[in-house]
Amino acid sequence: RDFELWLVDDGAKPVSMGVLPSTGVTRLKLKPELAVKISAGDAFAISDEPKGGSPTGEATGPVIAVGAPTEI
């Protein structure tokens, strides 16, 4: 199984940000067109997916973590 990270844009369909590695620290560089979409009211979610990530482009497994973006 793999964990997949999603951007849950307030009122829009969640967008996959990719499958997370199973070990170590993960740093993601966002594409500029995705970075500008992140705003208050959005969330990041991690779902438990089959190996390789969601086969449908939508979360198919349970959501195991949710967090709000914070500007730093």
Side-chain angles (χ1 to χ4, degrees), residues 4-71:
E4 190 162 353
L5 179 65
W6 302 86
L7 170 62
V8 184
D9 187 0
D10 191 26
K13 184 177 172 180
V15 175
S16 174
M17 298 182 70
V19 173
L20 301 174
S22 59
T23 61
V25 174
T26 301
R27 293 175 193 245
L28 299 173
K29 184 171 183 173
L30 299 179
K31 295 178 183 177
E33 61 270 17
L34 183 58
V36 298
K37 292 182 177 183
I38 299 171
S39 61
D42 293 349
F44 293 108
I46 297 174
S47 63
D48 181 8
E49 300 293 339
K51 275 289 191 204
S54 170
T56 66
E58 297 181 11
T60 60
V63 172
I64 59 168
V66 177
T70 302
E71 188 172 344

